[in-house]
Amino acid sequence: MTYTETMPVYVIDKPLGLTSHDVVARARRALATRRVGHTGTLDPLATGVLVVCAEESTKLVQFLTADSKDYLAFVALGAGSRTLDAEGPLEEAPQVPLPSRERLEEVLSGFVGEQLQVPPQFSAISVGGVRAYDVARRGGALELPARPVSLHELRLLAVAQNPGQAAALRFAPTPDGRWDLDAAGRAFTLPAALGEFPVLVLWARVGSGTYLRSLARDLGEALGTRAHLTGLVRTRVGRFGLGQAVSLEQLSASAGLSDLEALDLPRFEADPQLARALRDGKRPATDLEGRYLITHAGALVAVADALGGQWKVVRAWAQS
């Protein structure tokens, strides 16, 4: 098998209602291989970019899961839910006047930067070998410690009077890679709303491990009410945007992206001797610093860290 024949990386536009596991199962059938993995879970009620890797490209998963991500988030004010999203059941809160846009933006600015965030009970977080969602589905709750997360940007795009108005909005990417309102853009299918509540439409750029459902909960508390996520669209994972994504129906005919296109790392072209040494797990000398994508003759050799004057291989690829 030559390098160009290895299975590539695929960017899928995940539809509403499927789990990430469901998407992987369908990808296995479409690509006729069992070796398929995804690089970051999307909840069933979320849509948008889900990156999957097949065959040898599954070695990339560990590097792609840490990428930052962009979202369009729809936050309903005035009611919470145990799941923190539109799955429910609904837990209404006392009604409070809708804050002004200035007040909303002030509160949102307080969430930008490094934060400590408590994960949702309905999540795959494990405590003592027990999954939080397994306990939550039985009506219980685990003590989930707050974890450090990063919210790089958080912008208020619109304040909709109700979920129907929010669902009618259209969006498009901007030249700088963000998303904004655009009457000629794309509308997204949102989950069935739990009730008639005002909806904040946000664009967020966050670090790995950040839960937008938790952000919705915490935003409601900061505004003196309850809130839940009534819709979520992931528009970017690392260097993969929604414009590159294909539907599950298009997957079998998709060319995908090569390993070299997938990793957003500086490249270093190795000579034959260095390529051989790195594939053998040796630590040749270098005067560089940082993490690099090592290539030779158009093929991926390794992801390696240049530390203390030596190359240290993190993951190597066999010569094809």
Side-chain angles (χ1 to χ4, degrees):
M1 177 184 291
T2 65
Y3 177 76
T4 55
E5 289 171 341
T6 59
M7 297 290 274
V9 176
Y10 299 89
V11 187
I12 295 173
D13 186 355
K14 188 189 91 64
L16 192 67
L18 295 185
T19 66
S20 298
H21 180 75
D22 293 334
V23 173
V24 167
R26 295 194 183 190
R28 286 172 175 156
R29 293 194 294 271
L31 301 173
T33 177
R34 295 294 301 170
R35 293 181 63 193
V36 176
H38 68 78
T39 68
T41 300
L42 269 183
D43 294 328
L45 298 189
T47 64
V49 176
L50 184 68
V51 180
V52 299
C53 302
E55 294 290 348
E56 281 295 292
S57 294
T58 56
K59 292 181 179 179
L60 301 178
V61 169
Q62 69 186 97
F63 305 108
L64 298 176
T65 53
D67 284 338
S68 67
K69 301 170 178 68
D70 294 350
Y71 295 92
L72 290 169
F74 301 78
V75 178
L77 296 180
S81 75
R82 290 191 65 235
T83 58
L84 306 186
D85 64 13
E87 184 176 346
L90 186 68
E91 299 173 348
E92 292 200 43
Q95 295 299 304
V96 298
L98 183 64
S100 67
R101 190 178 183 102
E102 291 74 20
R103 173 58 180 160
L104 291 170
E105 290 180 339
E106 176 188 7
V107 171
L108 286 170
S109 68
F111 287 94
V112 176
E114 302 294 322
Q115 306 280 328
L116 287 176
Q117 184 185 77
V118 177
Q121 287 294 327
F122 284 83
S123 68
I125 301 296
S126 181
V127 177
V130 178
R131 297 284 189 184
Y133 59 65
D134 288 332
V135 176
R137 286 168 181 163
R138 296 194 296 269
L142 292 180
E143 187 69 30
L144 299 179
R147 307 188 307 170
V149 298
S150 296
L151 283 80
H152 306 305
E153 295 184 54
L154 195 56
R155 295 172 50 218
L156 178 63
L157 302 185
V159 180
Q161 295 304 307
N162 52 61
Q165 188 181 89
L169 295 173
R170 292 180 174 271
F171 307 85
T174 59
D176 59 8
R178 294 162 174 80
W179 280 66
D180 208 339
L181 296 172
D182 189 327
R186 175 178 173 180
F188 294 97
T189 302
L190 303 182
L194 294 180
E196 291 294 304
F197 303 99
V199 176
L200 308 183
V201 183
L202 312 175
W203 179 85
R205 174 164 289 170
V206 304
S208 178
T210 304
Y211 283 93
L212 273 294
R213 285 182 290 145
S214 291
L215 173 63
R217 174 201 60 204
D218 298 342
L219 180 57
E221 291 176 358
L223 292 170
T225 184
R226 301 285 300 279
H228 66 277
L229 199 64
T230 194
L232 186 67
V233 181
R234 189 153 69 190
T235 59
R236 183 189 63 88
V237 174
R239 67 195 312 172
F240 304 114
L242 193 54
Q244 299 166 274
V246 300
S247 68
L248 281 170
E249 292 72 25
Q250 298 169 318
L251 183 58
S252 60
S254 172
L257 301 167
S258 74
D259 293 352
L260 294 179
E261 294 176 281
L263 290 177
D264 192 13
L265 292 172
R267 295 189 190 183
F268 183 84
E269 177 68 14
D271 59 29
Q273 292 74 27
L274 177 59
R276 187 180 308 110
L278 293 175
R279 284 178 169 135
D280 290 342
K282 296 179 180 178
R283 297 192 177 190
T286 179
D287 56 2
L288 298 174
E289 289 289 331
R291 176 162 289 183
Y292 287 83
L293 182 67
I294 312 297
T295 61
H296 173 64
L300 179 56
V301 173
V303 172
D305 291 333
L307 296 170
Q310 289 184 316
W311 285 114
K312 181 181 179 182
V313 173
V314 181
R315 193 76 190 247
W317 278 255
Q319 186 171 9
S320 56

